[in-house]
Structure formats: structure tokens, C-alpha cells
Amino acid sequence: MWALRAAIRPAAWLSRVVLGRRAPRPAPPLLLVCPERAFAAFDPGDLKGRGGGGRGPPADGPRSRTGEVEEPEDAEDEEEVEEELLRRDPLLPVGTQRVCLVHPEVKWGPGKPQLTRADRQVAEAESLVHTLDQWSVVERMVVPARTPDGKVAFGRGTLRHLTEKIRALPEITAVFLNVERMAPPTKKELEAAWGVQVFDRFTVVLFIFRCNARTKEARLQVALAELPLLRSHLSSTTRLDGRGGGSRYIMGSGESLVQVQRRLLKDKELKIRKALDRLRDKRRLLGRQRRRREFPVVSVVGYTNCGKTTLIKALTGDDAIRPQDRLFATLDVTAHVGWLPSRVAVIYMDTVGFLSQLPHSLIESFSATLEDVAHSDLVVHVRDVSHPETELQKATVLAALRGLRLPAPLLDSVLEVHNKVDLVPGYSPAGSQAVAVSALLGHGLPELRARLEDAVLRATGRQVLTLRVRLAGAQLSWLHQEATVQDVDVIPEAGAADVRVVISSSAYSKFRKLFPESASQ
């Protein structure tokens, strides 16, 4: 019986470093050219447009007395180190690829997948392949297997039949085995039998992440996620002395080739984590600025390609947002400014989409980015109700949210939005908690805005009050600056005005202390 386990691509760049020569910088991959997209870290000092630019202090350094940003003395060196960390050979071959998709199906036992079927799993795997430019699926094979994912085991006869079919298709250039991970010996064995390169789900998803990562933080997170893949390849290297290090030492250093490679990987991991910590500190500074100015933050989460970005565009009216109909189009958390019906400004955070069977190391690498969700005032869970596996997708997202260890009140108050109802005629949510919308066509958006306002005001402790203020004093201008003024009813004979405002509890307490003579109506 042949046990089939997952696979990793060897790290050729390490060999070049170990041999004492500086590795040449590889040319940018020709497979996918991703446009640059800035990390939209919204500065609430200016409520115009999306993501950045405002009157608040910059997040990337303190200001000097002249108003210029003071960069650390070693900032240029840090930039060079970060760029060097991001220089890597492509995980997958460039150019046109014709793929044979092989899906192992477990039909019985505890390993049988729940809430899904083989044809739906094949469809999602095919979508992953089509996300890559110039890649196409030319053949699909569903074969019986005894255990799921990386522990999949084909029978000898099944494997022989599979090999004959793949060998009879000369147009195939690669095989995508739809399991989470394979062991390097299995990859080597299958490639020798089938005569083409073989990739698992982890390698394909990781390459998609690399191509779609536009900011430095996202690119570093992908580089961090690649390290377990490289380590597992090293652990499978033939051990010559039985102790795991090998007996061939490098130029009298006392270290074997494998030991040097492991040390280099460990050094690289430390440098990547240090670079991510610097970027995380900048993001936390922006988060503190938002919380200090009391701008509500709504995190929009959901399964990949469920319509999160399209919904945010519909809610904000920002034409600069350009949604894409593909998996993992958004890998960088971006902030977008919108307005509730009460004219309260709110920040919508567009987040990374989730996927079933997403490798743990990949989730762990992006957990720092998803910290923004834990600090939001409201979480909106967008679901694609037109998808045949919408319930499985919901379970995947909720499991991921629980893994982020969100505060219990935040997790309990998640607002569920059922998107793409235009594709399901006559659709109506089963419960009263969900809101049905079509973000693309605008259906249901008024009801959603009302529900958002109610949830945001409740979560942030804001209240709607009518205050009587003197026109001659500073009360009215203070309210315009510190609260959201909805209406002003001037009473000329009294020299006063009744002002209807949306105000937070802390701002109202300050108002009462500064202007004790003002009264609430």
C-alpha cells in the first residue's frame, strides 16, 4: 500500500548561499503582475476619501519641530533587509500551465468530509487554479482514498490506473493533488511516476497569496508562511550519519549542509518577525489614534470571494474601490470611510477572506493583520447565499473568528449579511438576525444601513440627545467638533437653540462639565 503524503518544493536559494556565493536576485515572476496597492491605514484626521491622508500625525515616525518626519538612523538599512527577505524564487513554474486536477475522495469513515461533496470540492480546487494567470484545468479525476488530506492513501491498483491515465495525457504539464499537504518523499515519488510536477493545496494557496500580496506587511507574512514548507523539506533530507545533521561539513565550519540551511532559515524567521513587529507597531499607533478620536470601526469578514469589498464599496460610495471576482483578491487589511444615516462617520475594515482547509501556518502568519478585527466595535459577517456550500463556508468563518479569540461581546454581536440574493430568486433569511442584500445591485442596503447604525450606536455607547445651548457661547461649535450634529432648531427670542446630536458617553460627560448650564431635552 502506497501512503501518499504531501510535498514541498526544495529551497534552491539556500544552496547558493551555503556554497559561499551571493545568490543573484531573481527577476520578477512573469506569471502574475500585481498592481501596487497601498495599505489603507485610515487617519481619521481627514474624513475625505479612503485610507490615509489627514491632519493627524503620521504613523511612520515622530515629527521634529519643523514638522518633518524623523526617520530612524537605521531605517534605510532596515528597508534593505526587508527587501532582501522578500527576494525569492517563484513557488510554482511561470508561464502557461495545463493542470490535471486529482481529488482523493473519502467515501466512508470518520475522515469523510461533512457538509460537502466531492464535486463541490473539485469546483473550489478548480477555482484556485484558475486564479493563477495562464493556468487552466484540462482534466479532472476523482479517485477513491482511504484517509483524508495529507494522510491520503491510494490502493496499489488505483495508483497504477491513475498513473496510466496521466501518462496518456501528453498535454498535461502539472498535477494538482487536492490535499492540504504532502510529504516531500511522496512528491518525489509521484513526480517520478507521472513525469510532471505535482503540487498540493498548500503550495497553490501560498502562491496565490504571494501574487496578491501588495503591501510589504502582507508579503512578509507570506514569506513567514513559506518557512514551515522549507523546513519540512529539510527534515526529509537523507541523513548520512544517523543523527540528522549529515557527515559532510562546509569548509571546516563544523556544520553540515542541512545544519547550515536550518540555521539560515531560523535567522530568516527572526528577521521577518522583527520586520513584522515594526510594521505592527505602526498599525497599532493608527488604531490608537482612531480609538482616541472615537471613530467607530466595523470589520467586514467572510469567506473568500463572498463580496466583502463590493459591499464596502456600496456602503461608502467610494469609486476608487475596485472589487475583483476571484479568490483572495484582498490580502491587505484596508480602511474605508463611510457614513451612517445619522451622519456618524464610520471606518469599514476590509479583511482577508477565509478558506476551508487553509493551512494552519498560513492562518498563523496572517493573525497579526487580523488583530484589527479584535479591536473593532462591530463585526459584519458577509455570506454568499448563492453558493451551494454556504453553510460550510459559514462554519469555516466562525471557526476562524473563534480562533482569533475575539472578546465575547464582540463575537456575540456579529451582524450576518446574506449577500448575492439577486442570484437566488425569492430568497428570505431564515432568522430575523440576518439582513439579505445584493451589494452589486443595491438591494437591501437601506435596511442594512439602519441595522448597522443601531448596532454601532449600541456597541460604542452613543446616544441621540437634544440639547439646548446658548447661541452666544461656545457650546454649538464644541458639539460640531466633538459630536455629530443632526439638526439645529434656533429659538431667536431665547437666544438659544435645540441641537439634536449623536454623542458618546465620554463626550457627553465632557460637555456637562464644560457647560453645566446646558440642558438635555
Side-chain angles (χ1 to χ4, degrees), residues 171-325:
E171 70 274 14
I172 289 177
T173 61
V175 171
F176 175 21
L177 187 60
N178 191 29
V179 297
E180 184 176 329
R181 293 289 294 272
M182 290 184 296
T186 301
K187 174 183 173 67
K188 184 177 181 180
E189 180 181 352
L190 292 181
E191 289 181 339
W194 295 345
V196 294
Q197 296 190 68
V198 182
F199 308 108
D200 56 24
R201 190 179 179 91
F202 178 47
T203 308
V204 172
V205 171
L206 192 56
F207 188 62
I208 294 172
F209 270 47
R210 171 188 277 198
C211 293
N212 289 353
R214 298 173 177 87
T215 67
K216 183 178 293 183
E217 184 174 31
R219 292 163 62 203
L220 285 170
Q221 287 169 328
V222 172
L224 183 63
E226 290 176 358
L227 296 181
L229 184 147
L230 298 175
R231 284 197 182 96
S232 62
H233 171 70
L234 293 179
S235 65
S236 69
T237 303
T238 302
R239 292 167 171 76
L240 301 178
D241 63 353
R243 295 177 298 176
S247 61
R248 296 182 180 180
Y249 296 98
I250 305 300
M251 300 180 66
S253 66
E255 287 184 299
S256 69
L257 175 63
V258 173
Q259 289 172 334
V260 171
Q261 289 176 326
R262 287 174 179 163
R263 176 170 55 80
L264 290 176
L265 283 177
K266 184 176 181 180
D267 291 344
K268 181 173 183 177
E269 180 179 2
L270 292 175
K271 291 178 182 178
I272 291 176
R273 292 190 182 278
K274 184 178 179 181
L276 285 171
D277 286 341
R278 289 194 297 268
L279 295 173
R280 187 182 308 166
D281 289 341
K282 295 178 182 180
R283 190 176 63 252
R284 286 174 176 171
L285 173 61
L286 290 172
R288 287 195 297 269
Q289 291 176 351
R290 289 194 294 264
R291 290 190 292 273
R292 185 169 61 248
R293 301 186 185 191
E294 297 184 339
F295 281 88
V297 177
V298 176
S299 291
V300 182
V301 303
Y303 206 81
T304 181
N305 205 32
C306 68
K308 299 184 299 295
T309 305
T310 303
L311 180 62
I312 292 176
K313 180 175 182 177
L315 291 173
T316 62
D318 187 352
D319 292 333
I321 302 176
R322 302 192 180 279
Q324 302 179 55
D325 185 15

Side-chain angles (χ1 to χ4, degrees), residues 30-31 93-99 132-136 171 173-174:
L30 300 178
L31 177 60
V94 298
T96 302
Q97 297 295 324
R98 296 177 298 279
V99 178
L132 300 173
D133 191 26
Q134 301 183 61
W135 283 56
S136 61
E171 70 274 14
T173 61

Side-chain angles (χ1 to χ4, degrees), residues 402-423:
R402 286 191 291 268
L404 295 176
R405 298 179 181 179
L406 301 182
L410 184 61
L411 196 57
D412 294 339
S413 62
V414 171
L415 177 60
E416 194 169 292
V417 177
H418 293 185
N419 191 26
K420 304 186 183 181
V421 295
D422 55 300
L423 302 179

Side-chain angles (χ1 to χ4, degrees), residues 304-493:
T304 181
N305 205 32
C306 68
K308 299 184 299 295
T309 305
T310 303
L311 180 62
I312 292 176
K313 180 175 182 177
L315 291 173
T316 62
D318 187 352
D319 292 333
I321 302 176
R322 302 192 180 279
Q324 302 179 55
D325 185 15
R326 64 175 184 174
L327 303 181
F328 300 115
T330 300
L331 287 184
D332 310 296
V333 175
T334 55
H336 311 269
V337 185
W339 304 88
L340 298 176
S342 59
R343 290 183 286 183
V344 171
V346 64
I347 302 170
Y348 293 102
M349 305 295 292
D350 197 359
T351 62
V352 181
F354 298 105
L355 181 74
S356 62
Q357 296 182 313
L358 197 62
H360 177 73
S361 59
L362 203 52
I363 299 174
E364 186 180 64
S365 300
F366 279 79
S367 61
T369 300
L370 293 170
E371 284 179 1
D372 289 320
V373 178
H375 296 296
S376 58
D377 298 297
L378 178 68
V379 174
V380 173
H381 176 195
V382 182
R383 292 178 55 189
D384 176 6
V385 294
S386 70
H387 197 281
E389 293 190 336
T390 181
E391 291 299 328
L392 176 62
Q393 292 183 354
K394 175 182 177 179
T396 299
V397 173
L398 293 181
L401 291 178
R402 286 191 291 268
L404 295 176
R405 298 179 181 179
L406 301 182
L410 184 61
L411 196 57
D412 294 339
S413 62
V414 171
L415 177 60
E416 194 169 292
V417 177
H418 293 185
N419 191 26
K420 304 186 183 181
V421 295
D422 55 300
L423 302 179
V424 188
Y427 178 82
S428 179
S432 59
Q433 300 300 320
V435 182
V437 305
S438 170
L440 186 63
L441 302 181
H443 298 165
L445 292 184
E447 180 185 354
L448 175 58
R449 288 190 175 97
R451 292 284 297 275
L452 283 171
E453 177 168 276
D454 180 65
V456 167
L457 295 183
R458 186 169 57 251
T460 58
R462 282 171 165 77
Q463 51 188 323
V464 181
L465 296 175
T466 300
L467 304 174
R468 177 159 294 184
V469 302
R470 293 186 294 107
L471 295 176
Q475 295 97 319
L476 186 57
S477 61
W478 189 93
L479 288 173
H480 274 288
Q481 182 176 358
E482 301 294 335
T484 301
V485 176
Q486 292 184 311
D487 185 54
V488 179
D489 185 14
V490 178
I491 309 173
E493 62 275 12

Side-chain angles (χ1 to χ4, degrees), residues 70-82 278:
E70 294 180 348
E71 293 289 347
E73 293 181 0
D74 59 348
E76 185 174 346
D77 294 337
E78 291 176 353
E79 290 285 334
E80 292 180 358
V81 171
E82 291 171 5
R278 289 194 297 268

